[in-house]
Amino acid sequence: MPFSFNRARSAHLLLGTALAALTIMPVAAQVAPVAIANEDPVSENSDGADILVSGYRRSLDEAIELKRNTIGFSDSIVATDIADFPEQNLSEALQRVPGVAIERNRGLGTRVNVRGLPSEFTFVSINKLATASGSGGRDVEFDIFASELIQSVTVQKSPTAADEEGGIAGSVYIRTARPFDNPGLRLVGSVEGAYNSISEKVDPNFSLLASHTLGDFGVLVSAAKQQRTNRTDSNSGINFRPIARWTDRTGANRNQALAVLQRDAGITFTNADKNRIVFLDKVGDRVYQNDQDRLGLSGSVQYKPSNEFSLSVDAFLGSYDVTEDEYDAAGYSASSNSTLATIHEFDAKTLSKDGIVVLRDVSYTNTQHEFLSKEFIRETDYRQFGTEMNWTPGSWKINVLGGYSGAEKTLDSANLKHVAYAPSRTRYTKTGGETVPSDNPRTIDMYNAPASYLFEAYETQRERIQDDKYAAQADVGYDFGERFLRQIHVGARYTNKTNERAYGEERIQGPTRGSTAYVNKRTLADSPLTPVTDIAGGKAYQVRDLNWSQVSNDYARDFFRPDGFVTPFSDGNYYKVREETVAAYAMADFQFDVAVPVFVNVGGRYLRTTIRSEGFFQIQNPDGSTGYTDAPVSSTGRYDKFLPSFNAHAELTDSLFLRAAASQTLIRPALTDLAYKRTASFNDFRFTDGNPNLKPTFADQWEVGAEKYFGRGGIVAASYFWKKIKGVVQNRLTGTVPGVTKYNANGTVDGVYDFDVYQPVNVEGSYDINGIELNAVVPFGMFADWADGFGINANATFLDSSLTGQSDLGIDTSPVGLADTVYNATVFYDRGPVSLRVSYNRKGAYVERVERNMYPVYRDAYGQFDFAASYQLTPNFRVELQGINIGNAKTKGYTMDPLFPVLYEASGSRISLGVRAQF
């Protein structure tokens, strides 16, 4: 729900209380240096005695030390041993970081949201190279990366001038392992089996890593192979449909709808009501079967003759193949030849503030019932090659890097569609909706009437995305020692990004291409039918007491696809965007005393970006048919920008820090908006173009906070941040094309007209986002020796936004994707051979989309419990047990109010048991 004034006031008071508490905390507990990965894992208690710290506690210690030594605001996750990242999934590990939430797809963490902003607002790099993932956009799909290959992840929330631009929300820096992270000969392997509680299948996972340093040289190779079988059951697809569906028409259906409104609800319709009287358009029951196969490979060769020089060559490769089968039974009450029959129940109170009446339970004259068997086959291949040199001759610091990151993603999907028209009754239930037989004698049981469903089409789609990124950077710094001016850095970076997309679709309606022999002749009953839970395997349908039979995708692919069939690409959906950026920066570090030591980093980054985009333009041929230009049409755009940055912290005591940061950041426009292609609506005299001249969306931002550090790896921190986001992209009228000849279908000239041109543009105005971030890692051993090993790691983020009114109906709406609260907590025990963790993560409700640009649809607040346990059997072998979503939490959504659900989805829990060996 939108962040209220009272909540904002409470959060501000909470921040003030936290800051006050930090300033009065005793300073007796001092923090000793935390051991890095290749040193003895030892920390110090308040009496100066050494205490062995390993496993999860050591990971927290090293992450805290990274935070302490960073001049700006950041948080990290660290693998304290090689190939020992503390979570199974990279995105699900990041949800433990303060201010970070994740997007889930069928129960699996995928994309990352930093401080509540959409995933495309976050910049992601691996080994300092911007990451390609094949998403087709700016965001990165984290589920393609094997976490076993990751050494550390840092979420940087306040940039310096040296940081590559591109993240308004923040930047995620991923680093893979290198040989000298853990010198010597290291062999690490793991094997595990993972069980899903709904699919009831056990998936094998393997990883292997070998690293060896010999003198000045080191070599590391690793591989990780993971399979995941997951079933998700969902009562979903439910939405509002305005009564304008019928009242905007003429004829008997309109007249009957008006008469039923008056008779059953006492509503005398006026035109002002057409979008504020809504009914339940669709109910769908779905079973998803998701099979994933992920392979990750990494390698590193490192030359390190001394601590002053290191040269590394890194490779990071992998594949991620997903096959998802979806079996969908749905009823569409707003079919083209239907209308209201009887209103059994309506709600004029819940949404009365917005003047909306919801028809909750209605019988319709001719519902469109659909059975859909959908198959999605996605294959992603990614690769990254890079080299980095670090050299510190005397007081100089030289860093040079370069590399390539690329991904190719292909999608082959199909949808077997059968349709039946019959009277039905559709109504809300507590968790979703249902379509049941009505009182009309022609009604059907939509789940058990296969002979009533006529074949409509076997619809196919094919998509290919190629994403390539090249980068090179040089940085030179000079260390002046313990002076007012401590360091200066200057550097330059060149990046070249190319994204190319091809897409096509085709409908098969007979045994050969172009044939319509099956249409209105073949029925659902003519294909073999199997209960959906038997096709997918596993337990009974989890969201309702329901089962139904459908055509399996294996049968559909074999029967309906002609031999050698490949879906052709369409010129209208092709685009290619090339983006080149040259950036130069300078920054300086200062140190001085104002009663306490103060450290300041200030700098600026200048960038120039050139865009060349191409795509086909839709045209009308002289015979009246629609076509495309013979070749792609290209256009260029350019922008430059200076981005200042400021970071500082003051050490009030050895353990109490105050931090401040201010900067301007940006995110570049979506590739689909930059794509210079044209679609035409000849009846509306309108062209819709892409716009390579789009500028980035900018953010002015600042943050202040305080951090209190304790012995034995503890911290309490609080900060307040503010962002003003401006230059958001919306579609607007940008001009006209005069003298366009429009043809009739028979090839005669209809006339010559001026066509309006609509394009995405950067609009005037801005909106604010502000929030509070609280973070605490409390090892209980700091209070009593007997409690050593126990502790808690918890954080919370509270957000507020000034943006409302995205709805065409003027309904207050927060920014899409912005959750006003995110928090998580982990209670742990980590001592000796035993490690135990129980975690809870919760993301508040947020607007997922604005249905028909009128009705905000919310993804409900979601929280889940996870646990991890391990036992070190011997110095070389460890047994590990992990559970994801052990409380079997459900994913829910609603339109405007929970009384009107749109989604109820169960993905089950996942339990894994494995063994890790290390030599």
Side-chain angles (χ1 to χ4, degrees):
M1 303 288 278
F3 191 46
S4 68
F5 172 78
N6 287 335
R7 180 173 292 178
R9 184 169 180 237
S10 298
H12 284 69
L13 291 173
L14 181 59
L15 174 65
T17 302
L19 291 175
L22 289 170
T23 60
I24 63 174
M25 282 181 176
V27 298
Q30 304 295 322
V31 178
V34 176
I36 61 174
N38 59 349
E39 294 179 346
D40 293 334
V42 173
S43 67
E44 184 179 297
N45 69 7
S46 58
D47 298 325
D50 289 342
I51 296 174
L52 183 66
V53 178
S54 61
Y56 180 69
R57 289 173 61 195
R58 185 174 163 203
S59 174
L60 290 177
D61 282 0
E62 295 194 12
I64 290 171
E65 193 69 6
L66 283 174
K67 180 180 182 70
R68 179 174 183 158
N69 293 330
T70 300
I71 199 166
F73 290 87
S74 71
D75 292 281
S76 301
I77 302 173
V78 180
T80 56
D81 207 344
I82 201 163
D84 194 21
F85 204 70
E87 298 286 348
Q88 287 185 316
N89 178 283
L90 187 54
S91 65
E92 292 182 356
L94 282 168
Q95 72 180 329
R96 316 293 182 205
V97 174
V100 174
I102 62 174
E103 297 178 10
R104 297 180 185 275
N105 182 26
R106 317 285 184 254
L108 177 69
T110 54
R111 294 176 171 87
V112 169
N113 306 128
V114 177
R115 289 181 165 171
L117 292 166
S119 57
E120 59 268 22
F121 281 41
T122 300
F123 175 79
V124 180
S125 66
I126 297 178
N127 296 333
K128 301 181 183 178
L129 297 175
T131 305
S133 73
S135 68
R138 304 282 184 183
D139 55 338
V140 171
E141 298 170 331
F142 281 81
D143 51 339
I144 72 174
F145 302 124
S147 62
E148 294 88 345
L149 310 182
I150 306 302
Q151 186 66 20
S152 67
V153 180
T154 295
V155 179
Q156 186 75 29
K157 300 166 184 176
S158 61
T160 68
D163 294 324
E164 186 174 358
E165 70 285 347
I168 280 180
S171 297
V172 177
Y173 299 120
I174 301 169
R175 192 175 80 80
T176 59
R178 288 175 175 165
F180 282 94
D181 291 340
N182 291 267
L185 176 63
R186 304 295 298 275
L187 295 174
V188 180
S190 67
V191 58
E192 71 171 27
Y195 170 82
N196 176 262
S197 64
I198 299 181
S199 69
E200 298 185 313
K201 294 183 179 180
V202 177
D203 300 317
N205 301 312
F206 309 93
S207 69
L208 180 65
L209 182 146
S211 177
H212 186 40
T213 58
L214 186 62
D216 299 338
F217 288 91
V219 177
L220 179 149
V221 292
S222 64
K225 173 78 170 175
Q226 183 184 61
Q227 290 181 290
R228 182 178 186 270
T229 304
N230 187 77
R231 201 186 95 195
T232 296
D233 297 347
S234 177
N235 184 216
S236 59
I238 304 159
N239 56 56
F240 282 179
R241 188 72 181 260
I243 205 70
R245 169 66 172 168
W246 296 303
T247 60
D248 279 353
R249 298 182 174 187
T250 59
N253 283 352
R254 178 184 190 275
N255 295 335
Q256 180 166 331
L258 298 180
V260 172
L261 280 172
Q262 176 65 51
R263 183 194 69 200
D264 295 341
I267 297 174
T268 301
F269 175 81
T270 66
N271 195 54
D273 300 324
K274 70 176 186 176
N275 292 320
R276 297 188 186 270
I277 300 173
V278 298
F279 59 94
L280 179 56
D281 176 31
K282 178 190 175 185
V283 168
D285 283 287
R286 299 171 178 172
V287 170
Y288 301 90
Q289 176 65 29
N290 191 284
D291 295 304
Q292 302 167 4
D293 192 344
R294 182 174 63 195
L295 173 65
L297 304 170
S298 75
S300 180
V301 178
Q302 189 175 9
Y303 172 61
K304 190 174 182 181
S306 67
N307 290 332
E308 287 73 42
F309 185 87
S310 173
L311 177 64
S312 302
V313 178
D314 305 305
F316 192 51
L317 306 94
S319 64
Y320 184 58
D321 300 334
V322 179
T323 298
E324 182 172 88
D325 296 305
E326 175 187 339
Y327 298 99
D328 191 351
Y332 293 84
S333 53
S335 70
S336 59
N337 55 7
S338 183
T339 190
L340 305 180
T342 304
I343 300 172
H344 303 282
E345 182 185 354
F346 67 95
D347 183 342
K349 295 181 179 179
T350 304
L351 304 179
S352 59
K353 172 180 175 291
D354 296 301
I356 293 178
V357 176
V358 182
L359 308 183
R360 291 189 56 91
D361 182 354
V362 180
S363 290
Y364 300 91
T365 60
N366 214 26
T367 296
Q368 177 178 323
H369 307 87
E370 292 184 354
F371 266 39
L372 309 174
S373 296
K374 299 180 180 181
E375 181 183 46
F376 304 89
I377 300 174
R378 303 180 183 91
E379 297 178 351
T380 303
D381 295 308
Y382 67 91
R383 60 269 174 199
Q384 179 170 309
F385 306 97
T387 183
E388 181 177 8
M389 182 194 76
N390 286 286
W391 185 26
T392 55
S395 297
W396 293 92
K397 296 182 179 181
I398 300 171
N399 174 265
V400 178
L401 64 91
Y404 162 78
S405 177
E408 182 174 352
K409 182 177 182 179
T410 60
L411 170 65
D412 181 8
S413 61
N415 176 23
L416 175 61
K417 185 176 182 180
H418 289 83
V419 178
Y421 289 91
S424 284
R425 180 176 178 179
T426 300
R427 60 196 180 193
Y428 277 105
T429 63
K430 183 178 180 180
T431 56
E434 62 181 359
T435 298
V436 298
S438 70
D439 294 334
N440 191 304
R442 296 187 298 109
T443 192
I444 63 172
D445 177 357
M446 65 171 282
Y447 295 94
N448 191 28
S452 299
Y453 286 83
L454 294 175
F455 171 88
E456 182 171 298
Y458 182 73
E459 302 169 338
T460 69
Q461 300 87 34
R462 185 163 68 105
E463 182 177 21
R464 184 183 66 233
I465 296 171
Q466 180 68 46
D467 189 7
D468 297 295
K469 299 179 181 179
Y470 298 87
Q473 177 174 302
D475 178 280
V476 178
Y478 187 82
D479 191 339
F480 293 93
E482 299 294 325
R483 301 181 182 179
F484 171 71
L485 175 60
R486 295 196 64 182
Q487 293 186 53
I488 58 171
H489 283 266
V490 295
R493 188 179 185 98
Y494 170 79
T495 59
N496 184 320
K497 172 184 172 64
T498 302
N499 189 280
E500 186 174 15
R501 177 184 186 262
Y503 175 86
E505 54 188 39
E506 186 170 350
R507 290 160 61 91
I508 299 172
Q509 296 184 307
T512 59
R513 221 168 200 152
S515 170
T516 58
Y518 296 153
V519 178
N520 294 326
K521 297 182 180 64
R522 186 179 178 89
T523 71
L524 184 65
D526 292 327
S527 297
L529 300 176
T530 307
V532 290
T533 53
D534 290 348
I535 298 174
K539 294 181 177 178
Y541 188 58
Q542 295 293 290
V543 298
R544 292 211 287 155
D545 184 12
L546 177 69
N547 199 5
W548 70 98
S549 297
Q550 291 199 206
V551 181
S552 74
N553 282 319
D554 288 341
Y555 175 85
R557 176 174 281 269
D558 291 341
F559 184 87
F560 290 100
R561 287 198 180 213
D563 290 340
F565 172 82
V566 176
T567 307
F569 289 133
S570 167
D571 287 344
N573 292 294
Y574 169 84
Y575 69 75
K576 183 177 182 179
V577 178
R578 180 177 179 180
E579 187 178 78
E580 287 186 282
T581 298
V582 177
Y585 62 87
M587 65 181 188
D589 293 336
F590 300 91
Q591 177 183 351
F592 52 90
D593 287 342
V594 184
V596 297
V598 177
F599 301 86
V600 175
N601 171 276
V602 63
R605 185 179 186 90
Y606 173 80
L607 61 96
R608 170 169 288 184
T609 298
T610 303
I611 297 163
R612 180 180 175 85
S613 175
E614 62 182 49
F616 289 89
F617 274 34
Q618 192 175 23
I619 59 174
Q620 197 176 35
N621 299 315
D623 63 359
S625 63
T626 298
Y628 294 93
T629 53
D630 293 335
V633 180
S634 64
S635 181
T636 59
R638 175 178 290 182
Y639 56 84
D640 53 15
K641 185 64 176 177
F642 178 76
L643 301 174
S645 63
F646 168 86
N647 290 273
H649 74 262
E651 298 183 2
L652 302 184
T653 70
D654 288 344
S655 60
L656 181 60
F657 287 21
L658 292 180
R659 292 191 191 271
S663 62
Q664 187 173 71
T665 61
L666 62 82
I667 55 166
R668 293 189 164 86
L671 298 173
T672 51
D673 291 333
L674 292 171
Y676 196 55
K677 59 189 183 74
R678 169 173 289 178
T679 57
S681 177
F682 293 102
N683 291 329
D684 295 329
F685 312 104
R686 173 174 175 166
F687 292 135
T688 302
D689 293 0
N691 186 1
N693 282 297
L694 278 174
K695 303 298 186 289
T697 297
F698 294 99
D700 298 325
Q701 59 183 27
W702 58 265
E703 183 167 3
V704 294
E707 299 157 7
K708 174 68 178 179
Y709 296 87
F710 303 98
R712 302 194 181 186
I715 182 177
V716 176
S719 68
Y720 174 86
F721 59 88
W722 174 92
K723 299 176 186 284
K724 178 182 286 293
I725 297 176
K726 49 192 176 183
V728 296
V729 175
Q730 294 180 2
N731 281 312
R732 295 289 172 86
L733 175 66
T734 59
T736 60
V737 178
V740 178
T741 301
K742 179 178 179 294
Y743 297 93
N744 295 314
N746 59 8
T748 60
V749 175
D750 179 86
V752 178
Y753 304 96
D754 292 344
F755 272 50
D756 292 331
V757 177
Y758 284 81
Q759 291 178 286
V761 298
N762 301 99
V763 298
E764 297 292 332
S766 63
Y767 67 95
D768 296 343
I769 291 176
N770 60 82
I772 294 163
E773 208 166 80
L774 305 175
N775 180 28
V777 177
V778 182
F780 296 159
M782 62 186 290
F783 303 114
D785 289 341
W786 62 265
D788 184 56
F790 290 97
I792 186 169
N793 175 16
N795 58 73
T797 303
F798 305 91
L799 296 171
D800 189 12
S801 170
S802 65
L803 181 64
T804 58
Q806 291 182 96
S807 164
D808 289 347
L809 296 181
I811 298 168
D812 288 346
T813 304
S814 58
V816 172
L818 182 67
D820 61 356
T821 57
V822 176
Y823 57 87
N824 67 78
T826 297
V827 178
F828 62 86
Y829 175 78
D830 194 75
R831 187 174 183 180
V834 178
S835 180
L836 302 170
R837 303 195 306 273
V838 177
S839 301
Y840 180 74
N841 177 271
R842 182 177 177 85
K843 180 180 180 180
Y846 62 92
V847 176
E848 191 171 27
R849 68 183 187 278
V850 181
E851 180 72 28
R852 303 178 189 277
N853 295 321
M854 292 185 285
Y855 318 109
V857 177
Y858 287 84
R859 179 65 64 95
D860 205 356
Y862 178 87
Q864 75 173 41
F865 284 96
D866 306 323
F867 80 86
S870 68
Y871 186 81
Q872 195 76 36
L873 295 171
T874 72
N876 301 112
F877 291 94
R878 186 170 77 214
V879 178
E880 299 173 327
L881 177 68
Q882 292 198 19
I884 306 297
N885 191 24
I886 57 176
N888 199 23
K890 309 296 191 297
T891 302
K892 304 174 185 178
Y894 57 88
T895 304
M896 298 182 67
D897 188 275
L899 284 177
F900 310 113
V902 300
L903 172 69
Y904 185 77
E905 190 171 272
S907 295
S909 56
R910 185 172 176 84
I911 307 296
S912 64
L913 177 64
V915 177
R916 171 185 164 91
Q918 177 177 303
F919 301 94

